[in-house]
Structure formats: C-alpha cells, structure tokens
Amino acid sequence: MLVFLGFAMIIVFMTLIMTKRLSPILALIIVPTVFGLFTGAGLGIGEMVMDAIADMSSTAALLLFAIIYFGIMIDVGLFDKLVGFILKVAGHDPVKVVMGTALLTGAVSLDGDGSTTFIVVTAAMLPIYQRLEMSPVVLTCVAGLINGTLNIVPWGGPTARASSALQIDANDIFAPMVPALAAGLLVCFVFAYFLGISERRRLAKNGVAWVDESRSGTSGSKRSDLVGAVAHSNSGLNSGSNSGSGSGSGAANGGTTSATSTLADGDSDGSDAGSGSDAGSGSALTDTALDPNRATLRPKLFWFNLILTVAVMVMLIADLLPLPYLFMIAMVIALMVNFPNIKAQQEELASHASAIIAVVAMVMAAGVLTGIMSGTGMVDAMAEWLVAVIPSSMGPYMAVITGLLSIPMTFFMSNDAFYFGILPVLAETASHFGISAADMARASITGQPVHMQSPLVPAILLLVSLSGVELGDHHKKVLWRALIVSLVMLTVGVLIGVIAIG
C-alpha cells in the first residue's frame, strides 16, 4: 500500500504542477498531506513535517542571505561589465546568447554550488533575455542542464555521498567518468544551440528580426538597441508617446527598479526602450535589473565589491565557514559599505523581499513533501520494492540498472536517501556478480542531470523563482533533455568500460 501511495502521490503532484492546476507551493503542501493521511499517519504528520523543515532550515538561511547578497551586488553594478562583455560578444543573435548562457553556467558551476551558480547566471543573463524578448524558460532549461551535468564533480554532493556510502575515494569515482561527463556536456551544448535556433525562429515569426553584425558590418559602438526592444518599441509607437525617449525617459520611468524584483517578475516587455537608431546597449537595459541609470549604482566601489565577492567564492570553495553564516557576514559588509545610511539599508533589504519570500516559502513547502515521504515510510517501501523486483538473472547488469534507477529515484527523493539508503543495498547485491563498488558509484551519479530539476532541490526552485518561470513550464522543456543527457553519460560509461557489465 505504501508503494502504491508513494507512486500515486508523485504522479498526482507532477500532473498538477505541469498542467498548472496548482502552483508548486500549494502542490508541495496539499498533495503529500492528503496522501500522508491515507497512510494513517494521523496527527503524527505534523511532527514529520516539522522535523523535515528543521533539517532544511540551513538551506533556507543560505538561500535567503545569498539572494540578498547577490541582489546587492546586482544593484550596485558588479555584474554590469560582465553583461556588457556578453552583449559585445553575442550581439543581437539569440543563438549566441543561449550559448553564452551555457558557457557562463558551466564556468560558475565549477564551484559545486547550484544556488550560487543560478543567482549569478540569472543576474547576468535575464536582463538580456528580457530585452531580446527571449523566453526565460530557455535560460532555466540551459542553466539547469549544464549545472546538473557538472553536479558530479568530486566536490559536489552526489559524488561525495557515493564515496562516503561505499567507502571509496571520490577521485576513483570521478576521474574515469570524465569522458562520460564530456559527452554529457557536448549534448547539453547541442541542446543549447538548437534552443537558440528555435528562439531565433520564434522571434522572427513574431516579427522580431535579429542582426548578424559579422555580416552586416555594423560596429559595436553604433549598434542599435537590443533587437527585442526595437521590435516592441516600433510596434507600440503609433501614439508617439515614447518616440525618441532614449535612456533618459527610461531612467525616469525605471531608474530605481529593484534588481531582484525585476528578476523575479521577469515581465519586462521592452516598451520603454529607446527607438532611436543611436540608442546603445545601455539604453536597451533601461528599466531592467541592469539599468545604467539606477540610483543604487556604486561605480567607485566596484573593486571593493569585486574583491569581496571573490573572497566569498574562495571561502565557499574552501569550506572555511558554514555557507549560511558566510553569506550573512558578506551581506552585512556589503550593506554597510555600499549603503552606510540606515534608511538606505532598510530600503535595499525591502527591495528584495518578494524574491526572498518566494524562494524560502518554496523550500519550506518542499519540507512537507520530504518529511511525509520519509516519515510515513513511503521512501523506504518504494526503494525496497524496486530492489525486490529486479530478477537475479539481471545481476550482471546491476551497474546499468543502478544508473537507470538513479534517474527517477534521485528526482523523487533526496540524494541522501538514495546514496545512503539504496545504493549500498544495490552495491552489495552487485558484488555477488563481480561488479565493483566503484562501478556502482559511477553508474549512480549519471542521473544527476535529471535530479537537479527536482522540486526537492532548493537550487532549482531558486532558479525558476528568480527567472519568473513556472516550475511546470521548466519541467516540460528540460526533463526529456535531461533524461537524454543522463542516458548518454551512462552509455558512454559502459562503452569505455568504467561502468561494468558482469
């Protein structure tokens, strides 16, 4: 009965959020509560949920203070130069913008922290997507794919867990999987390229053209404003109200726009962009998180903010302090230096309230799902059932089976539950067929591209919240692609002999 209820709950939950019958927060709370009552949990369900929420409190604290910190850095202009460089390289071409998103995500993902990666990538790229009128779901899809694939690095969570659970060296798991990782990343970049092509065609169909500057000879210093803004402005200027508004008008209308609220809403339509041919890329960013005229800019403190952020990243990688506390300290320093006035500090904190509430509420709601699944025994029952239904004749293929099981199981349960609860059982079974623990561990990490899209992963909740994207819309675009990436990694691992068939 627990197995049936567990799978039924997952199906109902996914159906509700992908068909948009319920928002993810409501579904995360209501669906497991109803199914938990069917298991006979009774009033004990409250204790299960509170235990899970307590376990997730440090994650919520990390996201809260990380959002504020990076929101401050966006407001004061730390990422403006990076966006300017991306604009210079990508020009007006959606394909180059999407590929730039993939490259930036890959670079930042090397720190092993998904939340930090998604904050930085969203801060840098979302304003560009808005001004090109590109779909933010493309951003979340590409960022989620790349980060999920790189989640197997030795200092990342799954490889470390597999190493601890099976008592083998993390590098023995990761190093042989580098060719499989490379193959997975190659597939991700192929997907990114075709997503860019799709966006280019969609924009063209909607009457939004793009300019290939390498062929047209247009110089970067004389380029018109970003193409999405041009098309939208031209279509809406019949009344003449915005004609020739340029950056000045845009600044007047949106110069004090909060960076994080713009990221969270994701609804900028480019209507305030200048229509004149001399408008630069700066005016194209007017009224976005990177408005060049926003009152919060601190150009004289650029080097201080850069050094502070680099120091935070170094300490993050070195694991010198607990991450929530690290971002607390960094936020305090950033606020005191950039906004010495108490009233300005309060206004800066208030400007990020909507993004903070959305993300922290989602994390707490996810605690309801994980708490009830674990507390009622649904997770254990589902795992035992899956192991029991594997016939002994499939023993020589246990590594491959483990790789296949890791795809759905790490999506519907935490990495801790899979790597510490299920993997050791599978590895012990496989040992009777001559399959080593290292092979099992390598197979087990191939499901990470799919795992990272799970609503149980706080980082992905952060990504969709900051991008203003519905989780169901993200899943529709990313899940089948993530599944292919996982299968490619598993297949390459088998072909090169690092995931054995007994």
Side-chain angles (χ1 to χ4, degrees):
M1 180 59 70
L2 286 176
V3 174
F4 171 77
L5 289 174
F7 283 111
M9 181 179 70
I10 289 167
I11 292 171
V12 171
F13 170 75
M14 294 300 297
T15 300
L16 287 174
I17 66 169
M18 294 187 74
T19 58
K20 298 185 179 180
R21 301 292 178 87
L22 284 179
S23 69
I25 291 179
L26 295 181
L28 283 167
I29 296 172
I30 294 173
V31 174
T33 298
V34 171
F35 278 87
L37 292 174
F38 276 120
T39 66
L43 296 178
I45 201 170
E47 186 176 347
M48 299 175 192
V49 170
M50 294 311 298
D51 287 343
I53 289 177
D55 291 338
M56 300 185 76
S57 60
S58 62
T59 299
L62 166 63
L63 297 182
L64 191 158
F65 290 104
I67 288 172
I68 296 176
Y69 177 78
F70 284 103
I72 293 170
M73 292 298 107
I74 294 165
D75 286 349
V76 300
L78 178 63
F79 299 107
D80 288 29
K81 294 182 185 296
L82 173 61
V83 173
F85 173 76
I86 295 172
L87 285 172
K88 184 177 180 180
V89 173
H92 301 165
D93 188 356
V95 176
K96 293 180 181 178
V97 171
V98 176
M99 295 302 289
T101 303
L103 288 170
L104 179 61
T105 304
V108 184
S109 292
L110 292 176
D111 74 350
D113 182 67
S115 299
T116 302
T117 297
F118 293 146
I119 291 172
V120 172
V121 171
T122 308
M125 300 305 299
L126 186 60
I128 300 172
Y129 277 71
Q130 291 173 339
R131 282 310 180 191
L132 287 173
E133 296 187 9
M134 294 172 62
S135 170
V137 184
V138 173
L139 186 157
T140 65
C141 178
V142 171
L145 278 177
I146 297 289
N147 183 259
T149 305
L150 283 168
N151 200 39
I152 71 169
V153 293
W155 50 91
T159 301
R161 286 176 173 86
S163 171
S164 299
L166 301 182
Q167 298 182 341
I168 54 179
D169 188 82
N171 200 47
D172 290 340
I173 301 172
F174 174 75
M177 286 294 289
V178 169
L181 173 61
L185 288 173
L186 178 60
V187 174
C188 290
F189 279 99
V190 170
F191 278 137
Y193 175 78
F194 282 105
L195 282 168
I197 292 291
S198 177
E199 277 298 280
R200 183 195 289 172
R201 290 172 178 168
R202 183 185 65 82
L203 293 173
K205 185 178 180 180
N206 293 338
V208 181
W210 66 279
V211 179
D212 187 344
E213 294 176 359
S214 64
R215 297 183 180 180
S216 66
T218 304
S219 66
S221 61
K222 294 184 179 181
R223 59 169 63 123
S224 62
D225 57 345
L226 292 175
V227 68
V230 174
H232 196 90
S233 297
N234 288 342
S235 65
L237 290 179
N238 293 334
S239 64
S241 60
N242 290 332
S243 180
S245 61
S247 60
S249 174
N253 291 336
T256 60
T257 299
S258 156
T260 307
S261 63
T262 302
L263 290 173
D265 296 340
D267 59 0
S268 178
D269 61 8
S271 60
D272 290 332
S275 59
S277 61
D278 293 333
S281 61
S283 66
L285 293 171
T286 297
D287 206 24
T288 73
L290 301 183
D291 186 339
N293 302 295
R294 60 193 185 276
T296 56
L297 281 177
R298 300 292 187 269
K300 293 182 180 179
L301 293 172
F302 173 80
W303 289 108
F304 170 82
N305 290 317
L306 178 61
I307 292 171
L308 175 62
T309 301
V310 170
V312 169
M313 293 297 100
V314 170
M315 295 181 71
L316 184 153
I317 295 172
D319 197 21
L320 298 178
L321 288 173
L323 294 187
Y325 182 56
L326 173 62
F327 277 104
M328 286 181 190
I329 297 297
M331 180 209 71
V332 169
I333 296 173
L335 267 180
M336 290 177 62
V337 174
N338 290 281
F339 302 93
N341 181 274
I342 293 180
K343 183 178 179 180
Q345 292 173 3
Q346 293 173 338
E347 291 175 350
E348 180 66 14
L349 288 173
S351 70
H352 303 296
S354 60
I356 294 168
I357 291 172
V359 174
V360 174
M362 192 85 78
V363 172
M364 296 294 104
V368 178
L369 179 61
T370 57
I372 291 175
M373 285 191 72
S374 299
T376 59
M378 280 191 274
V379 168
D380 293 337
M382 293 163 67
E384 291 173 5
W385 178 80
L386 285 170
V387 173
V389 297
I390 299 173
S392 57
S393 60
M394 299 296 292
Y397 304 96
M398 281 299 297
V400 175
I401 292 172
T402 298
L404 294 175
L405 287 177
S406 73
I407 296 172
M409 296 190 76
T410 58
F411 184 84
F412 294 120
M413 63 180 66
S414 68
N415 271 340
D416 286 335
F418 178 75
Y419 286 103
F420 294 119
I422 296 174
L423 181 60
V425 177
L426 294 173
E428 176 64 25
T429 304
S431 66
H432 296 294
F433 297 94
I435 299 174
S436 71
D439 288 286
M440 294 294 288
R442 293 172 199 139
S444 72
I445 63 176
T446 58
Q448 288 305 300
V450 175
H451 164 75
M452 278 302 297
Q453 319 311 320
S454 170
L456 302 180
V457 176
I460 207 66
L461 302 180
L462 176 67
L463 174 64
V464 297
S465 296
L466 292 182
S467 302
V469 169
E470 290 287 342
L471 184 61
D473 291 336
H474 173 73
H475 281 163
K476 288 177 185 178
K477 191 171 287 288
V478 78
L479 280 182
W480 68 269
R481 292 180 170 89
L483 175 60
I484 291 175
V485 174
S486 289
L487 292 176
V488 166
M489 293 174 65
L490 179 60
T491 301
V492 172
V494 171
L495 291 176
I496 63 177
V498 298
I499 296 176
I501 295 178

